Coordinates of all heavy atoms in Angstrom, one line a residue:
M11 N 0.8 -1.2 0.0 CA 0.0 0.0 0.0 C 0.9 1.2 0.0 O 1.8 1.3 0.8 CB -0.9 -0.1 1.2 CG -2.0 0.9 1.3 SD -3.5 0.0 1.5 CE -4.7 1.1 1.1
D12 N 0.6 2.2 -0.9 CA 1.4 3.4 -1.0 C 0.9 4.3 0.1 O -0.3 4.7 0.1 CB 1.3 4.0 -2.4 CG 2.3 5.0 -2.6 OD1 3.2 5.2 -1.8 OD2 2.2 5.7 -3.7
E13 N 1.8 4.8 0.9 CA 1.4 5.7 2.1 C 1.0 7.0 1.6 O 0.2 7.7 2.2 CB 2.6 5.8 3.0 CG 3.1 4.5 3.5 CD 3.1 4.4 5.0 OE1 2.8 5.4 5.6 OE2 3.2 3.3 5.5
K14 N 1.4 7.5 0.4 CA 1.1 8.9 0.0 C -0.3 9.0 -0.4 O -1.0 9.9 0.0 CB 2.1 9.3 -1.2 CG 3.5 9.4 -0.8 CD 4.3 9.7 -2.0 CE 5.8 9.6 -1.6 NZ 6.6 9.8 -2.8
D15 N -0.8 8.1 -1.3 CA -2.1 8.3 -1.8 C -3.1 7.2 -1.4 O -4.2 7.2 -1.8 CB -2.1 8.5 -3.3 CG -1.5 7.3 -4.1 OD1 -1.1 6.3 -3.4 OD2 -1.4 7.4 -5.3
G16 N -2.6 6.2 -0.7 CA -3.5 5.1 -0.2 C -3.9 4.1 -1.2 O -4.8 3.4 -1.0
T17 N -3.2 4.0 -2.3 CA -3.5 3.0 -3.3 C -2.5 1.9 -3.3 O -1.4 2.0 -2.8 CB -3.4 3.6 -4.8 OG1 -2.1 4.1 -5.0 CG2 -4.5 4.7 -4.9
D18 N -2.9 0.8 -3.8 CA -2.0 -0.4 -3.8 C -1.2 -0.3 -5.0 O -1.7 -0.2 -6.1 CB -2.9 -1.7 -3.8 CG -2.1 -2.9 -3.6 OD1 -0.9 -2.8 -3.3 OD2 -2.6 -4.0 -3.7
E19 N 0.2 -0.4 -4.9 CA 1.1 -0.3 -6.0 C 1.0 -1.5 -6.9 O 1.4 -1.5 -8.1 CB 2.5 -0.1 -5.6 CG 3.1 -1.2 -4.8 CD 4.4 -0.8 -4.2 OE1 4.6 0.3 -3.8 OE2 5.3 -1.7 -4.2
H20 N 0.5 -2.6 -6.5 CA 0.4 -3.9 -7.3 C -1.0 -4.1 -7.7 O -1.4 -5.3 -7.9 CB 1.0 -5.1 -6.5 CG 2.4 -4.9 -6.1 ND1 3.4 -4.9 -7.0 CD2 3.0 -4.6 -4.9 CE1 4.6 -4.7 -6.4 NE2 4.3 -4.6 -5.1
E21 N -1.8 -3.1 -7.9 CA -3.2 -3.3 -8.2 C -3.5 -4.0 -9.5 O -4.3 -4.9 -9.6 CB -3.9 -1.9 -8.2 CG -5.3 -1.9 -7.8 CD -5.8 -0.4 -7.6 OE1 -6.2 0.1 -8.6 OE2 -5.7 0.1 -6.5
G22 N -2.7 -3.6 -10.6 CA -2.9 -4.2 -11.9 C -2.2 -5.5 -12.1 O -2.4 -6.1 -13.1
D23 N -1.4 -5.9 -11.1 CA -0.7 -7.2 -11.3 C -1.6 -8.4 -11.3 O -1.2 -9.4 -11.8 CB 0.4 -7.3 -10.2 CG 1.5 -6.3 -10.4 OD1 1.6 -5.8 -11.5 OD2 2.3 -6.1 -9.4
S24 N -2.7 -8.4 -10.7 CA -3.6 -9.6 -10.6 C -4.0 -10.0 -12.0 O -4.1 -11.2 -12.3 CB -4.8 -9.3 -9.7 OG -5.6 -8.3 -10.3
E25 N -4.2 -9.0 -12.9 CA -4.6 -9.4 -14.3 C -3.4 -10.0 -15.0 O -3.6 -11.0 -15.7 CB -5.1 -8.2 -15.0 CG -6.4 -7.7 -14.6 CD -6.9 -6.5 -15.4 OE1 -6.3 -6.2 -16.4 OE2 -7.8 -5.8 -15.0
E26 N -2.2 -9.5 -14.8 CA -1.0 -10.0 -15.4 C -0.8 -11.4 -14.9 O -0.4 -12.3 -15.7 CB 0.2 -9.1 -15.1 CG 0.1 -7.8 -15.8 CD 1.2 -6.9 -15.4 OE1 2.3 -7.4 -15.0 OE2 1.1 -5.7 -15.5
Y27 N -0.9 -11.7 -13.7 CA -0.7 -13.0 -13.1 C -1.8 -13.9 -13.6 O -1.5 -15.1 -13.8 CB -0.6 -13.0 -11.6 CG 0.6 -12.3 -11.1 CD1 0.5 -11.3 -10.1 CD2 1.9 -12.6 -11.5 CE1 1.6 -10.7 -9.6 CE2 3.0 -12.0 -11.0 CZ 2.9 -11.0 -10.1 OH 4.0 -10.4 -9.6
G28 N -3.0 -13.5 -13.7 CA -4.1 -14.3 -14.2 C -3.8 -14.7 -15.7 O -4.0 -15.9 -16.1
D29 N -3.3 -13.8 -16.5 CA -3.0 -14.1 -17.9 C -1.8 -15.1 -18.0 O -1.8 -16.0 -18.8 CB -2.7 -12.8 -18.7 CG -3.9 -11.9 -18.9 OD1 -5.0 -12.4 -18.8 OD2 -3.7 -10.7 -19.2
A30 N -0.8 -14.9 -17.1 CA 0.3 -15.8 -17.2 C -0.1 -17.2 -16.8 O 0.3 -18.2 -17.3 CB 1.4 -15.3 -16.2
A31 N -1.0 -17.3 -15.8 CA -1.5 -18.6 -15.3 C -2.3 -19.3 -16.4 O -2.2 -20.5 -16.7 CB -2.3 -18.5 -14.1
L32 N -3.1 -18.5 -17.1 CA -3.9 -19.0 -18.2 C -3.1 -19.4 -19.4 O -3.3 -20.5 -20.0 CB -4.9 -17.9 -18.7 CG -5.9 -18.3 -19.8 CD1 -6.8 -19.5 -19.3 CD2 -6.7 -17.1 -20.2
D33 N -2.0 -18.7 -19.7 CA -1.1 -19.1 -20.7 C -0.4 -20.4 -20.4 O -0.2 -21.2 -21.2 CB -0.1 -18.0 -21.0 CG -0.7 -16.8 -21.7 OD1 -1.8 -16.9 -22.3 OD2 -0.1 -15.7 -21.7
A34 N 0.0 -20.5 -19.1 CA 0.7 -21.7 -18.7 C -0.2 -22.9 -18.8 O 0.2 -24.0 -19.2 CB 1.2 -21.5 -17.3
R35 N -1.5 -22.7 -18.4 CA -2.4 -23.8 -18.5 C -2.7 -24.2 -19.9 O -2.7 -25.4 -20.3 CB -3.8 -23.4 -17.8 CG -4.8 -24.5 -17.7 CD -6.0 -24.1 -17.0 NE -5.7 -23.5 -15.7 CZ -6.1 -22.3 -15.3 NH1 -6.8 -21.5 -16.1 NH2 -5.8 -21.8 -14.1
R36 N -2.8 -23.2 -20.8 CA -3.0 -23.6 -22.2 C -1.8 -24.3 -22.8 O -1.9 -25.2 -23.6 CB -3.2 -22.3 -23.0 CG -4.6 -21.7 -22.9 CD -4.7 -20.5 -23.8 NE -6.0 -19.8 -23.5 CZ -6.2 -18.6 -23.7 NH1 -5.2 -17.8 -24.2 NH2 -7.4 -18.0 -23.5
A37 N -0.6 -23.9 -22.4 CA 0.7 -24.5 -22.9 C 0.7 -26.0 -22.4 O 1.1 -26.9 -23.2 CB 1.9 -23.8 -22.4
R38 N 0.3 -26.2 -21.1 CA 0.3 -27.6 -20.6 C -0.7 -28.4 -21.4 O -0.4 -29.6 -21.8 CB 0.0 -27.6 -19.1 CG 1.1 -27.2 -18.3 CD 0.8 -27.5 -16.8 NE -0.4 -27.0 -16.3 CZ -0.5 -25.8 -15.7 NH1 0.5 -25.0 -15.6 NH2 -1.7 -25.4 -15.2
W39 N -1.9 -27.9 -21.6 CA -2.9 -28.7 -22.3 C -2.5 -28.9 -23.8 O -2.7 -30.0 -24.3 CB -4.3 -28.0 -22.3 CG -5.0 -28.2 -21.1 CD1 -5.2 -27.4 -20.0 CD2 -5.7 -29.4 -20.7 NE1 -5.9 -28.0 -19.0 CE2 -6.3 -29.2 -19.5 CE3 -6.0 -30.6 -21.4 CZ2 -7.1 -30.2 -18.8 CZ3 -6.7 -31.6 -20.8 CH2 -7.3 -31.4 -19.5
T40 N -1.9 -27.9 -24.4 CA -1.4 -28.1 -25.8 C -0.3 -29.1 -25.9 O -0.4 -30.0 -26.8 CB -1.0 -26.8 -26.3 OG1 -2.0 -25.8 -26.3 CG2 -0.5 -26.9 -27.8
A41 N 0.6 -29.1 -25.0 CA 1.7 -30.1 -25.0 C 1.2 -31.5 -24.7 O 1.6 -32.4 -25.4 CB 2.8 -29.7 -24.0
T42 N 0.3 -31.6 -23.8 CA -0.2 -32.9 -23.4 C -1.1 -33.4 -24.6 O -0.9 -34.6 -25.0 CB -1.1 -32.8 -22.2 OG1 -0.3 -32.3 -21.1 CG2 -1.6 -34.1 -21.8
G43 N -2.0 -32.6 -25.1 CA -2.8 -33.1 -26.2 C -2.0 -33.4 -27.5 O -2.3 -34.5 -28.1
S44 N -1.1 -32.6 -27.8 CA -0.2 -32.9 -29.0 C 0.6 -34.2 -28.8 O 0.7 -35.0 -29.7 CB 0.7 -31.7 -29.3 OG 0.0 -30.6 -29.5
G45 N 1.1 -34.4 -27.6 CA 1.9 -35.6 -27.3 C 1.0 -36.8 -27.4 O 1.5 -37.8 -28.0
V46 N -0.2 -36.8 -26.9 CA -1.1 -37.9 -26.9 C -1.5 -38.2 -28.4 O -1.4 -39.4 -28.8 CB -2.3 -37.7 -26.0 CG1 -3.4 -38.8 -26.3 CG2 -1.9 -37.8 -24.6
L47 N -1.8 -37.2 -29.1 CA -2.2 -37.3 -30.5 C -1.1 -37.9 -31.4 O -1.3 -38.9 -32.1 CB -2.7 -36.0 -31.1 CG -3.2 -36.0 -32.5 CD1 -4.5 -36.8 -32.6 CD2 -3.4 -34.6 -33.0
L48 N 0.1 -37.4 -31.2 CA 1.2 -37.9 -32.0 C 1.6 -39.3 -31.6 O 2.0 -40.1 -32.4 CB 2.4 -36.9 -31.9 CG 2.2 -35.6 -32.7 CD1 3.4 -34.6 -32.3 CD2 2.2 -35.9 -34.2
A49 N 1.5 -39.6 -30.3 CA 1.8 -41.0 -29.9 C 0.8 -42.0 -30.5 O 1.2 -43.0 -30.9 CB 1.8 -41.0 -28.4
L50 N -0.5 -41.6 -30.5 CA -1.5 -42.5 -31.1 C -1.3 -42.7 -32.6 O -1.4 -43.8 -33.1 CB -2.9 -42.0 -30.8 CG -3.3 -42.1 -29.3 CD1 -4.7 -41.4 -29.1 CD2 -3.4 -43.5 -28.9
V51 N -1.0 -41.6 -33.3 CA -0.7 -41.7 -34.7 C 0.5 -42.5 -35.0 O 0.5 -43.3 -35.9 CB -0.6 -40.2 -35.3 CG1 0.0 -40.3 -36.7 CG2 -1.9 -39.5 -35.3
G52 N 1.6 -42.3 -34.2 CA 2.8 -43.1 -34.3 C 2.5 -44.6 -34.1 O 3.0 -45.5 -34.8
L53 N 1.7 -44.9 -33.1 CA 1.4 -46.3 -32.8 C 0.6 -46.9 -34.0 O 0.8 -48.1 -34.4 CB 0.7 -46.5 -31.5 CG 1.6 -46.3 -30.3 CD1 0.7 -46.4 -29.0 CD2 2.7 -47.4 -30.3
A54 N -0.4 -46.2 -34.5 CA -1.2 -46.6 -35.6 C -0.3 -46.9 -36.8 O -0.5 -47.9 -37.5 CB -2.3 -45.6 -35.9
A55 N 0.6 -45.9 -37.1 CA 1.5 -46.1 -38.3 C 2.4 -47.3 -38.1 O 2.7 -48.0 -39.0 CB 2.3 -44.8 -38.5
S56 N 2.9 -47.5 -36.9 CA 3.7 -48.6 -36.6 C 3.0 -49.9 -36.8 O 3.5 -50.9 -37.4 CB 4.2 -48.5 -35.1 OG 5.0 -49.7 -34.8
T57 N 1.8 -50.0 -36.4 CA 1.0 -51.2 -36.6 C 0.7 -51.5 -38.0 O 0.8 -52.6 -38.5 CB -0.4 -51.1 -35.8 OG1 -0.1 -50.8 -34.4 CG2 -1.2 -52.3 -35.9
L58 N 0.4 -50.4 -38.8 CA 0.1 -50.6 -40.2 C 1.4 -51.0 -41.0 O 1.3 -51.8 -41.9 CB -0.5 -49.3 -40.8 CG -1.9 -48.9 -40.4 CD1 -2.2 -47.5 -41.0 CD2 -2.8 -49.9 -41.0
R59 N 2.5 -50.4 -40.6 CA 3.7 -50.8 -41.3 C 4.2 -52.2 -40.9 O 4.9 -52.8 -41.7 CB 4.8 -49.8 -40.9 CG 4.6 -48.4 -41.5 CD 4.6 -48.4 -43.0 NE 4.6 -47.1 -43.5 CZ 5.1 -46.7 -44.6 NH1 5.8 -47.6 -45.3 NH2 5.0 -45.5 -45.0
L60 N 3.9 -52.6 -39.7 CA 4.3 -53.9 -39.2 C 3.5 -55.0 -40.0 O 4.1 -56.1 -40.3 CB 4.0 -54.1 -37.7 CG 4.6 -55.3 -37.0 CD1 6.1 -55.2 -37.2 CD2 4.2 -55.3 -35.6
T61 N 2.3 -54.8 -40.4 CA 1.5 -55.7 -41.1 C 1.9 -55.7 -42.6 O 1.5 -56.7 -43.3 CB 0.0 -55.5 -41.0 OG1 -0.3 -54.2 -41.5 CG2 -0.4 -55.6 -39.5
G62 N 2.6 -54.7 -43.1 CA 3.0 -54.6 -44.5 C 4.3 -55.3 -44.8 O 4.8 -56.1 -44.0
S63 N 4.9 -54.9 -45.9 CA 6.2 -55.5 -46.3 C 7.3 -54.6 -46.0 O 8.4 -54.8 -46.6 CB 6.1 -55.8 -47.8 OG 5.9 -54.6 -48.5
A64 N 7.2 -53.6 -45.2 CA 8.3 -52.7 -44.8 C 9.3 -53.4 -44.0 O 9.0 -54.3 -43.2 CB 7.7 -51.5 -44.1
P65 N 10.6 -53.0 -44.1 CA 11.6 -53.5 -43.2 C 11.3 -53.3 -41.7 O 10.5 -52.3 -41.4 CB 12.9 -52.7 -43.6 CG 12.6 -52.1 -44.9 CD 11.1 -52.0 -45.0
L66 N 11.8 -54.1 -40.9 CA 11.5 -54.0 -39.4 C 11.9 -52.7 -38.8 O 11.3 -52.2 -37.8 CB 12.1 -55.1 -38.7 CG 11.7 -55.4 -37.3 CD1 10.2 -55.6 -37.2 CD2 12.4 -56.5 -36.7
L67 N 12.8 -52.0 -39.4 CA 13.3 -50.7 -38.9 C 12.2 -49.6 -39.0 O 12.1 -48.8 -38.1 CB 14.5 -50.2 -39.7 CG 15.2 -48.9 -39.3 CD1 15.7 -49.1 -37.8 CD2 16.3 -48.6 -40.2
V68 N 11.4 -49.7 -40.0 CA 10.3 -48.7 -40.2 C 9.3 -48.7 -39.0 O 9.1 -47.7 -38.4 CB 9.7 -48.8 -41.6 CG1 8.5 -47.8 -41.7 CG2 10.7 -48.6 -42.6
P69 N 8.6 -49.8 -38.7 CA 7.7 -49.8 -37.6 C 8.4 -49.6 -36.3 O 7.8 -49.0 -35.4 CB 7.0 -51.2 -37.7 CG 7.8 -52.0 -38.6 CD 8.6 -51.1 -39.4
G70 N 9.6 -50.0 -36.2 CA 10.4 -49.7 -34.9 C 10.6 -48.2 -34.7 O 10.5 -47.7 -33.6
A71 N 10.9 -47.5 -35.8 CA 11.1 -46.1 -35.7 C 9.8 -45.4 -35.3 O 9.8 -44.4 -34.5 CB 11.6 -45.5 -37.0
Y72 N 8.7 -45.8 -35.9 CA 7.4 -45.3 -35.6 C 7.0 -45.5 -34.1 O 6.6 -44.6 -33.4 CB 6.3 -45.8 -36.5 CG 6.1 -45.1 -37.8 CD1 6.5 -45.7 -39.0 CD2 5.7 -43.8 -37.8 CE1 6.3 -45.1 -40.2 CE2 5.6 -43.1 -39.0 CZ 5.9 -43.7 -40.2 OH 5.8 -43.1 -41.4
A73 N 7.3 -46.7 -33.6 CA 7.0 -47.1 -32.3 C 7.9 -46.3 -31.3 O 7.4 -45.8 -30.3 CB 7.2 -48.5 -32.0
F74 N 9.2 -46.1 -31.6 CA 10.1 -45.3 -30.8 C 9.7 -43.9 -30.8 O 9.7 -43.2 -29.7 CB 11.5 -45.5 -31.3 CG 12.5 -44.8 -30.4 CD1 12.8 -45.2 -29.1 CD2 13.1 -43.6 -30.8 CE1 13.7 -44.5 -28.3 CE2 14.0 -42.9 -30.0 CZ 14.3 -43.4 -28.8
G75 N 9.3 -43.3 -31.9 CA 8.9 -41.9 -32.0 C 7.6 -41.7 -31.2 O 7.4 -40.7 -30.6
A76 N 6.7 -42.7 -31.3 CA 5.5 -42.6 -30.5 C 5.8 -42.7 -29.0 O 5.1 -41.9 -28.2 CB 4.5 -43.8 -30.8
A77 N 6.7 -43.5 -28.6 CA 7.1 -43.5 -27.2 C 7.7 -42.2 -26.7 O 7.4 -41.7 -25.6 CB 8.1 -44.6 -26.9
V78 N 8.5 -41.5 -27.6 CA 9.1 -40.2 -27.2 C 8.0 -39.2 -27.1 O 8.0 -38.3 -26.2 CB 10.1 -39.8 -28.3 CG1 10.6 -38.4 -28.1 CG2 11.3 -40.7 -28.2
C79 N 7.0 -39.2 -28.0 CA 5.9 -38.3 -28.0 C 5.0 -38.6 -26.7 O 4.5 -37.6 -26.1 CB 5.0 -38.4 -29.2 SG 5.8 -37.7 -30.7
G80 N 4.9 -39.8 -26.3 CA 4.2 -40.1 -25.1 C 4.9 -39.6 -23.9 O 4.2 -39.0 -23.0
L81 N 6.2 -39.7 -23.9 CA 7.0 -39.1 -22.8 C 6.8 -37.5 -22.8 O 6.7 -36.9 -21.7 CB 8.4 -39.4 -22.9 CG 9.4 -38.8 -21.9 CD1 9.1 -39.3 -20.5 CD2 10.8 -39.1 -22.3
A82 N 6.7 -37.0 -24.0 CA 6.5 -35.5 -24.1 C 5.2 -35.1 -23.5 O 5.0 -34.1 -22.9 CB 6.6 -35.1 -25.5
S83 N 4.2 -35.9 -23.7 CA 2.8 -35.6 -23.1 C 2.8 -35.6 -21.6 O 2.2 -34.8 -21.0 CB 1.8 -36.5 -23.7 OG 1.9 -37.8 -23.2
V84 N 3.6 -36.6 -21.1 CA 3.7 -36.7 -19.6 C 4.4 -35.4 -19.1 O 4.0 -34.8 -18.1 CB 4.4 -38.0 -19.2 CG1 4.8 -37.9 -17.7 CG2 3.6 -39.2 -19.5
L85 N 5.5 -35.1 -19.7 CA 6.3 -33.9 -19.3 C 5.4 -32.6 -19.5 O 5.5 -31.7 -18.6 CB 7.6 -33.7 -20.1 CG 8.7 -34.7 -19.7 CD1 9.9 -34.5 -20.6 CD2 9.1 -34.6 -18.3
G86 N 4.6 -32.5 -20.5 CA 3.8 -31.4 -20.7 C 2.7 -31.3 -19.7 O 2.4 -30.2 -19.2
A87 N 2.2 -32.4 -19.2 CA 1.2 -32.4 -18.2 C 1.8 -31.9 -16.9 O 1.0 -31.4 -16.0 CB 0.5 -33.8 -18.0
R88 N 3.0 -32.2 -16.7 CA 3.7 -31.8 -15.4 C 4.2 -30.3 -15.5 O 4.9 -29.9 -14.6 CB 4.8 -32.7 -15.1 CG 4.3 -34.1 -14.7 CD 5.4 -35.0 -14.3 NE 4.8 -36.3 -14.0 CZ 5.5 -37.3 -13.5 NH1 6.8 -37.1 -13.3 NH2 5.0 -38.4 -13.2
G89 N 4.0 -29.6 -16.6 CA 4.5 -28.3 -16.7 C 5.8 -28.1 -17.4 O 6.3 -26.9 -17.5
R90 N 6.4 -29.1 -17.8 CA 7.7 -29.0 -18.5 C 7.5 -28.8 -20.0 O 7.8 -29.6 -20.8 CB 8.6 -30.2 -18.3 CG 8.8 -30.5 -16.8 CD 9.7 -29.5 -16.2 NE 10.0 -29.9 -14.9 CZ 10.8 -29.1 -14.1 NH1 11.2 -28.0 -14.5 NH2 11.0 -29.5 -12.9
T91 N 6.9 -27.7 -20.4 CA 6.4 -27.5 -21.7 C 7.5 -27.3 -22.8 O 7.4 -27.7 -23.9 CB 5.4 -26.3 -21.8 OG1 6.0 -25.2 -21.3 CG2 4.1 -26.7 -21.1
R92 N 8.6 -26.7 -22.4 CA 9.7 -26.5 -23.3 C 10.3 -27.8 -23.7 O 10.6 -28.1 -24.8 CB 10.8 -25.6 -22.8 CG 10.4 -24.1 -22.9 CD 11.6 -23.2 -22.6 NE 11.0 -22.0 -22.1 CZ 11.5 -21.4 -21.0 NH1 12.5 -21.8 -20.4 NH2 10.9 -20.2 -20.7
R93 N 10.6 -28.6 -22.6 CA 11.2 -30.0 -22.9 C 10.2 -30.8 -23.7 O 10.6 -31.6 -24.5 CB 11.5 -30.6 -21.6 CG 12.7 -30.0 -20.9 CD 13.1 -30.7 -19.6 NE 14.1 -29.9 -19.0 CZ 14.2 -29.7 -17.7 NH1 13.3 -30.2 -16.9 NH2 15.2 -29.1 -17.2
A94 N 8.9 -30.7 -23.4 CA 7.9 -31.4 -24.1 C 7.9 -31.1 -25.6 O 7.8 -31.9 -26.5 CB 6.5 -31.2 -23.5
L95 N 8.0 -29.8 -25.9 CA 8.1 -29.3 -27.3 C 9.2 -29.9 -28.0 O 9.1 -30.4 -29.1 CB 8.1 -27.8 -27.3 CG 8.3 -27.2 -28.7 CD1 7.1 -27.5 -29.6 CD2 8.6 -25.7 -28.6
W96 N 10.4 -29.9 -27.4 CA 11.6 -30.5 -28.0 C 11.5 -32.0 -28.2 O 11.9 -32.5 -29.2 CB 12.8 -30.1 -27.3 CG 13.2 -28.6 -27.5 CD1 13.1 -27.6 -26.6 CD2 13.6 -28.0 -28.7 NE1 13.5 -26.4 -27.2 CE2 13.8 -26.7 -28.5 CE3 13.9 -28.5 -30.0 CZ2 14.2 -25.8 -29.5 CZ3 14.3 -27.7 -31.0 CH2 14.5 -26.3 -30.7
L97 N 10.9 -32.6 -27.2 CA 10.7 -34.1 -27.4 C 9.6 -34.4 -28.5 O 9.8 -35.4 -29.2 CB 10.2 -34.7 -26.1 CG 11.4 -35.0 -25.1 CD1 10.8 -35.5 -23.8 CD2 12.4 -35.9 -25.6
L98 N 8.6 -33.6 -28.6 CA 7.7 -33.8 -29.7 C 8.4 -33.6 -31.1 O 8.1 -34.4 -32.0 CB 6.5 -32.8 -29.6 CG 5.5 -33.0 -28.5 CD1 4.5 -31.8 -28.4 CD2 4.8 -34.3 -28.7
I99 N 9.2 -32.6 -31.2 CA 9.9 -32.4 -32.4 C 10.8 -33.6 -32.7 O 10.9 -34.1 -33.8 CB 10.7 -31.1 -32.4 CG1 9.8 -29.9 -32.4 CG2 11.7 -31.0 -33.5 CD1 10.4 -28.6 -32.0
A100 N 11.5 -34.1 -31.7 CA 12.4 -35.2 -31.8 C 11.7 -36.5 -32.2 O 12.1 -37.3 -33.1 CB 13.2 -35.5 -30.6
G101 N 10.5 -36.7 -31.6 CA 9.7 -37.9 -31.9 C 9.2 -37.9 -33.3 O 9.3 -38.9 -34.0
V102 N 8.8 -36.8 -33.8 CA 8.3 -36.7 -35.2 C 9.4 -36.8 -36.1 O 9.3 -37.5 -37.2 CB 7.5 -35.3 -35.4 CG1 7.2 -35.1 -36.8 CG2 6.2 -35.3 -34.6
M103 N 10.6 -36.3 -35.8 CA 11.8 -36.5 -36.7 C 12.2 -37.9 -36.7 O 12.6 -38.4 -37.8 CB 12.9 -35.6 -36.2 CG 12.7 -34.1 -36.4 SD 14.0 -33.1 -35.8 CE 15.4 -33.6 -36.8
V104 N 12.1 -38.7 -35.6 CA 12.5 -40.1 -35.6 C 11.5 -40.8 -36.5 O 11.9 -41.7 -37.3 CB 12.5 -40.7 -34.2 CG1 12.5 -42.2 -34.2 CG2 13.7 -40.1 -33.4
M105 N 10.2 -40.5 -36.4 CA 9.2 -41.2 -37.3 C 9.4 -40.9 -38.7 O 9.3 -41.8 -39.6 CB 7.8 -40.7 -36.9 CG 7.3 -41.3 -35.6 SD 5.6 -40.9 -35.3 CE 5.7 -40.0 -33.8
A106 N 9.8 -39.6 -39.1 CA 10.0 -39.2 -40.4 C 11.3 -39.9 -41.0 O 11.3 -40.3 -42.1 CB 10.1 -37.7 -40.6
L107 N 12.3 -40.0 -40.1 CA 13.5 -40.6 -40.6 C 13.3 -42.1 -40.8 O 13.8 -42.7 -41.8 CB 14.6 -40.4 -39.5 CG 16.0 -41.0 -39.8 CD1 16.6 -40.3 -41.0 CD2 16.9 -40.8 -38.6
G108 N 12.6 -42.7 -39.9 CA 12.3 -44.2 -40.1 C 11.5 -44.4 -41.3 O 11.6 -45.5 -42.0
D109 N 10.6 -43.5 -41.7 CA 9.8 -43.7 -42.9 C 10.7 -43.6 -44.2 O 10.4 -44.1 -45.2 CB 8.7 -42.6 -43.0 CG 7.7 -42.9 -44.0 OD1 7.3 -44.1 -44.1 OD2 7.2 -42.0 -44.7
Q110 N 11.9 -43.0 -44.1 CA 12.8 -42.9 -45.2 C 13.4 -44.2 -45.6 O 13.9 -44.4 -46.7 CB 13.9 -41.8 -45.0 CG 13.3 -40.4 -44.8 CD 12.6 -39.9 -46.1 OE1 13.1 -40.1 -47.2 NE2 11.4 -39.4 -45.9
F111 N 13.4 -45.2 -44.7 CA 14.0 -46.5 -44.9 C 13.1 -47.4 -45.7 O 13.4 -48.5 -45.9 CB 14.5 -47.1 -43.6 CG 15.6 -46.4 -43.0 CD1 15.5 -45.7 -41.8 CD2 16.9 -46.5 -43.6 CE1 16.5 -45.0 -41.3 CE2 18.0 -45.8 -43.0 CZ 17.8 -45.1 -41.8
D112 N 11.9 -46.9 -45.9 CA 10.9 -47.8 -46.6 C 11.1 -47.7 -48.2 O 11.4 -46.8 -48.8 CB 9.5 -47.3 -46.3 CG 8.4 -48.3 -46.8 OD1 8.8 -49.4 -47.2 OD2 7.3 -47.9 -46.9

């Protein structure tokens, strides 16, 4: 409280903190949702490639990329959104690289 005019000097901070909390919540939900979605897609692609005539490396790469994306979703849910983003990128890159061996 400011002694001179009787106003609180941190009066507008509640909106800023509310926006930061909302942004953090959105980032967690986005990281978690993207990780789950990419993990499911990777598992589906791995299953489809396993039943086909692709070399064993291809479905393995999809499964490993899906596992990395699943780990990213767990980290995203715990608030580690930057690490989750980098793991999502790495997981998708592993899936794309594995697809090149087909």
